[in-house]
Amino acid sequence: MKTKDWYVTTPIYYANSQPHIGSAYTTLAADIIARYYRAKLGKENVYFQVGTDEHGQKIAETAKKNGKEPKEFLDKLVPTFKKAWKSLNIDYDVFIRTTDPRHVKVASNLLQKIYDKGYIYKDVYEGLYCVGCESYITKKELVNERCPLHPNEEPRQQKERNYFFKLSDFAPKILDLIQENQVEILPAHRKKEIANRIKDGVEDISISRESVQWGIPIPWDKKQKSTLWVWIEALINYYSATQLENDKNRFWPADLHLVGKDILWFHTVVWFSLLLAADLPLPKTVFGHGFFTIDGQKISKSLGNVIAPAEFVKRYGMDGARFLIITAAPFGDDGDIKTEELDTKYNANLANGLGNLVTRVAGMAKNAGLKVEKGKKREISTKVSEAIKRFELNIALELIWKKIKEADILINDREVWALEGDEQKGVLTNLVGDIRQVATDLKPFLPETAEKILKTYEGPEIKAVKPLFPRIS
Ligand code: MSP
């Protein structure tokens, strides 16, 4: 029965280089949450968007460096994103590319509407521009004369005649909406940061680029060679993803925009203001998760520590990779992947923890000739469900692993393998129930493994099972 439509989004990643496990982190978290809501509301009532950000200076310059036209370059690169998401079993509903003419049309119409309402004006802007961020940067934000997020790039001085959006008109309203929790910004400390930044003062923003050809033309000024600032049209992707097919418009507004903390300002103040200006409803929640480093270092091509999702999948399997990526940081906080500890983490939690429990109990059940009731459809347990709803993905996993540990302890304390007759069958029947519950709770996180376990433990007889996660030595 349909109770409600549910729409979750991920950032659209710059298609100037291949995806890595940092970009996979947000996408995987969104997949976990989408799977959870699909189980709860029905597949057809959930919409999950992913995509690529394909305009702007950064893409144009990278394509040029590779001796290609932007579109040609993108058409070769974008499939690597699709492949990466497939390798991680990311089950998205729509992959939006900002070069898709349908997106271009929606973005142009939306900006035209905002222009017609008088929220856009022309002015000259002079300032420093960080190509890495695709945004202007103030002197105040510089660290050692560079953008703190892109210390390898020199910000460029730019002076342009641009169109400006009256962001400052909307700031007080946004502050009220945030403070009254009419739009939710999570985690709470990030909401505070955004509110404080608004209180510090919000200036109008330039929304066109005179010097950038690779972008969407300004809809109301075809004479000028300017294009829309890439960030402005990129944000609109969340809305255009609901306008591609007729029956998808019911999904707007989004229930959850999942983003990294680096782009929370754009996804709150800038995006909310554009929506208000266009008379569109605001999203319900924006969650800004933390960043993880690898061995204490920022993930960066120049440091050579970029790990492709495929590398993880090759070593740890699809669900092993999902587990290691999602546990890279407590969801919402920063974290660090220690490459030396990855094998140990995999062995401890998956090969020995979950995998061993599943094979061990199946073996004992088979030897005992146990017959159990056929598995009924189960629901995700309340505590795990509550944690996922609060986006506490790490806590949900901790709860599941607590169950696994308790089952292990019970097996050893009661020496279940040495028990006999009805006593042994009784204990094993309870363990089968626990394992079925663990598998059900794991469905959003490790979908393939959960299915395998539930098949093994379907009953009435329990089948033998090959190790789910071969030990890595
Ligand atoms: N194109 C913009 C987003 C536009 S959305 C309308 C962009 N792209 S990006 O390719 O730079 O991706 C940034 C996002 O990637 C972060 O917000 C975060 O979701 C994810 N991450 C990239 N590296 C990450 C980590 N090291 N750790 C966690 N998330 C990371 O910004």
Side-chain angles (χ1 to χ4, degrees):
M1 192 189 69
K2 181 181 153 192
T3 46
K4 195 190 157 293
D5 298 319
W6 213 84
Y7 178 27
V8 57
T9 72
T10 62
I12 48 170
Y13 303 102
Y14 288 123
N16 64 329
S17 57
Q18 305 206 355
H20 54 71
I21 53 171
S23 26
Y25 183 65
T26 323
T27 315
L28 175 56
D31 180 69
I32 291 167
I33 295 167
R35 284 175 187 272
Y36 167 80
Y37 276 101
R38 281 191 195 121
K40 211 169 125 88
L41 305 173
K43 190 168 169 38
E44 65 287 3
N45 299 321
V46 173
Y47 196 46
F48 169 22
Q49 157 281 15
V50 298
T52 38
D53 198 349
E54 304 192 3
H55 287 127
Q57 204 157 330
K58 182 150 61 175
I59 306 286
E61 287 181 8
T62 315
K64 202 167 170 202
K65 257 189 235 151
N66 284 273
K68 294 208 164 68
E69 285 301 312
K71 190 62 174 36
E72 186 195 357
F73 172 77
L74 289 162
D75 287 347
K76 259 197 113 158
L77 190 79
V78 171
T80 63
F81 280 85
K82 294 190 174 168
K83 228 170 123 187
W85 301 159
K86 192 158 186 236
S87 77
L88 286 169
N89 206 358
I90 307 285
D91 190 12
Y92 55 81
D93 295 300
V94 59
F95 189 110
I96 188 144
R97 297 184 54 178
T98 52
T99 48
D100 183 332
R102 295 172 301 174
H103 163 77
V104 173
K105 192 167 163 203
V106 174
S108 305
N109 289 346
L110 199 128
L111 262 305
Q112 178 74 50
K113 185 172 173 190
I114 297 176
Y115 179 78
D116 292 343
K117 290 178 81 183
Y119 294 123
I120 291 173
Y121 61 94
K122 208 167 188 179
D123 206 346
V124 174
Y125 191 88
E126 182 163 15
L128 291 171
Y129 193 79
C130 170
V131 177
C133 291
E134 284 286 16
S135 94
Y136 279 105
I137 179 163
T138 59
K139 286 231 163 81
K140 213 166 72 187
E141 289 167 309
L142 298 180
V143 176
N144 298 328
E145 307 287 300
R146 300 273 169 107
C147 161
L149 295 177
H150 300 95
N152 297 327
E153 293 175 33
E154 188 137 9
R156 303 176 189 181
Q157 184 70 29
Q158 270 178 212
K159 184 177 178 183
E160 291 192 324
R161 269 173 71 76
N162 286 337
Y163 284 100
F164 280 72
F165 170 60
K166 294 184 179 170
L167 190 67
S168 59
D169 276 16
F170 294 92
K173 170 98 178 143
I174 305 281
L175 188 60
D176 286 348
L177 290 171
I178 294 174
Q179 285 180 332
E180 289 161 12
N181 279 330
Q182 297 204 37
V183 265
E184 193 179 29
I185 300 179
L186 292 172
H189 67 274
R190 297 212 204 282
K191 167 180 156 181
K192 244 192 223 154
E193 279 167 23
I194 296 290
N196 287 339
R197 200 167 148 189
I198 299 178
K199 287 178 199 158
D200 275 353
V202 175
E203 286 178 10
D204 292 348
I205 48 167
S206 140
I207 56 148
S208 63
R209 292 290 173 267
E210 209 177 15
S211 55
V212 180
Q213 305 307 307
W214 181 240
I216 300 181
I218 303 293
W220 56 86
D221 186 356
K222 298 265 160 49
K223 277 196 287 270
Q224 235 213 344
K225 280 224 174 118
S226 301
T227 54
L228 287 175
W229 178 30
V230 61
W231 257 106
I232 295 297
E233 52 117 339
L235 287 166
I236 299 172
N237 97 84
Y238 301 125
Y239 176 66
S240 29
T242 66
Q243 306 298 305
L244 306 180
E245 291 167 38
N246 274 341
D247 67 326
K248 297 293 185 275
N249 44 25
R250 66 192 164 101
F251 285 104
W252 191 260
D255 292 85
L256 174 65
H257 288 319
L258 212 54
V259 298
K261 62 178 183 179
D262 55 330
I263 54 177
L264 196 56
W265 176 260
F266 292 115
H267 281 81
T268 52
V269 180
V270 179
W271 182 219
F272 296 170
S273 300
L274 289 170
L275 288 167
L276 287 178
D279 288 327
L280 283 171
L282 300 188
K284 309 264 167 54
T285 302
V286 185
F287 188 101
H289 64 67
F291 259 54
F292 60 83
T293 44
I294 296 181
D295 296 324
Q297 306 259 36
K298 189 175 170 244
I299 304 178
S300 119
K301 251 204 220 160
S302 50
L303 288 173
N305 65 351
V306 172
I307 303 178
E311 281 177 58
F312 256 35
V313 174
K314 199 166 161 216
R315 186 157 181 91
Y316 303 110
M318 183 193 281
D319 279 349
R322 284 175 70 102
F323 179 84
L324 292 172
I325 293 172
I326 206 61
T327 56
F331 205 62
D333 296 336
D334 292 336
D336 183 44
I337 287 189
K338 295 187 177 48
T339 44
E340 249 189 20
E341 291 171 12
L342 283 170
D343 287 0
T344 315
K345 193 168 170 185
Y346 165 93
N347 281 335
N349 291 286
L350 298 173
N352 299 345
L354 174 64
N356 185 47
L357 175 71
V358 170
T359 355
R360 199 173 176 199
V361 173
M364 287 193 284
K366 199 162 179 275
N367 288 345
L370 185 76
K371 282 209 164 53
V372 286
E373 240 180 79
K374 251 184 126 37
K376 290 188 291 279
K377 195 175 177 311
R378 282 173 184 265
E379 301 275 327
I380 291 185
S381 54
T382 315
K383 277 190 176 170
V384 172
S385 172
E386 291 301 319
I388 299 177
K389 273 201 273 184
R390 289 194 301 268
F391 314 117
E392 293 171 349
L393 303 182
N394 52 307
I395 294 189
L397 285 171
E398 278 165 25
L399 288 165
I400 300 171
W401 256 264
K402 190 166 164 253
K403 266 226 141 118
I404 294 172
K405 286 209 180 93
E406 281 167 2
D408 273 340
I409 291 171
L410 181 125
I411 294 171
N412 291 338
D413 283 359
R414 300 275 313 259
E415 298 184 356
V416 179
W417 59 92
L419 296 178
E420 284 176 3
D422 283 350
E423 191 185 6
Q424 190 192 40
K425 283 187 174 152
V427 180
L428 283 172
T429 305
N430 287 339
L431 282 167
V432 168
D434 291 344
I435 290 175
R436 283 174 177 170
Q437 190 59 54
V438 161
T440 308
D441 291 353
L442 274 174
K443 269 185 175 180
F445 296 92
L446 312 180
E448 202 185 52
T449 305
E451 278 313 318
K452 269 193 212 159
I453 300 175
L454 288 171
K455 237 177 151 200
T456 304
Y457 280 82
E458 208 170 28
E461 281 119 25
I462 312 291
K463 302 175 195 87
V465 59
K466 277 198 256 139
L468 296 172
F469 298 97
R471 263 189 75 85
I472 293 180
S473 45

